[in-house]
Amino acid sequence: MFIGYARVSTDDQNLDLQRDALQKAGCEQIFTDRVSGTKARRPGLELALSHLRSGDTLVVWRLDRLGRSLRHLIDTVTDLQERGIGFKSLQESIDTTTSGGKLVFHIFGALAEFEREIIKERTKAGLTAARARGRKGGRRTALTEKQVQIARQLYDAKTPVQEICETLGISRATFYRYVASN
């Protein structure tokens, strides 16, 4: 069974072109969304994915109607393939139920993985360069050494923990992490 999915980004846009193309392609059911592609929650897509069974094919008018990014698109189609569901994009003529369509999609996947590796390498190089210049990564500490000493002195002087926390502008958990546990 062919199940279609159509999406437009705004209420001003019209779904008719996509619906007509999906019906012409033989889709028995068509699910739609009127939401930006950048949104993670798309109820129409979630419904379409829940209706798909092994042997079915999800059909979209164009690739950008399905995926928020290349990574999201590849993850979605990979999930479909694992469930025994085909994928078809009408404008790009990609059909993962054919060997040629699978090849094209695997090439997309390889390019996406290559892109991720390059980003990872650039990030590592940037962190190494920052460390070489003396910069330290990670979250800043909540209290300076001087503040820890003051907090410890107040605690030893039997000042209520709540009062110490209010004075230093920290939570009780932060106080105990820095002062009471040492």
Side-chain angles (χ1 to χ4, degrees):
M1 172 193 301
F2 283 178
I3 293 182
Y5 174 69
R7 180 185 60 78
V8 290
S9 300
T10 65
D11 288 332
D12 298 341
Q13 295 174 328
N14 196 318
L15 287 163
D16 292 344
L17 172 69
Q18 293 180 53
R19 270 199 190 112
D20 293 345
L22 293 170
Q23 286 171 345
K24 188 176 178 185
C27 292
E28 296 176 32
Q29 286 184 291
I30 298 173
F31 297 90
T32 62
D33 276 321
R34 286 185 185 275
V35 64
S36 170
T38 60
K39 301 292 182 192
R41 181 147 164 42
R42 293 186 275 167
L45 178 59
E46 292 169 10
L47 202 55
L49 294 174
S50 71
H51 276 73
L52 290 163
R53 302 289 174 251
S54 182
D56 290 348
T57 300
L58 177 64
V59 183
V60 295
W61 181 61
R62 278 185 21 198
L63 288 173
D64 66 348
R65 301 295 87 195
L66 178 64
R68 297 189 323 261
S69 64
L70 181 59
R71 178 77 249 148
H72 178 256
L73 182 66
I74 289 168
D75 289 345
T76 302
V77 173
T78 301
D79 179 55
L80 292 173
Q81 287 178 336
E82 288 172 358
R83 293 173 47 197
I85 298 166
F87 172 73
K88 190 174 189 176
S89 173
L90 301 176
Q91 291 295 301
E92 290 86 1
S93 300
I94 295 175
D95 185 352
T96 63
T97 61
T98 67
S99 56
K102 284 180 186 172
L103 172 66
V104 169
F105 219 80
H106 284 293
I107 291 171
F108 280 173
L111 290 172
E113 190 172 332
F114 177 69
E115 179 185 24
R116 273 194 317 278
E117 291 298 320
I118 288 174
I119 290 169
K120 209 185 307 182
E121 287 174 14
R122 281 191 211 135
T123 303
K124 282 183 182 178
L127 290 171
T128 302
R131 279 190 210 105
R133 288 189 307 272
R135 295 201 52 197
K136 216 168 106 178
R139 188 175 184 163
R140 288 194 171 107
T141 57
L143 296 174
T144 65
E145 278 301 315
K146 188 172 185 169
Q147 287 174 317
V148 172
Q149 288 173 353
I150 292 168
R152 224 179 246 128
Q153 289 170 352
L154 290 170
Y155 184 67
D156 291 342
K158 305 289 187 220
T159 305
V161 173
Q162 185 63 36
E163 194 175 308
I164 297 170
C165 292
E166 288 172 6
T167 303
L168 295 174
I170 58 173
S171 68
R172 290 178 80 85
T174 301
F175 170 80
Y176 285 111
R177 186 170 39 254
Y178 278 91
V179 178
S181 63
N182 294 331

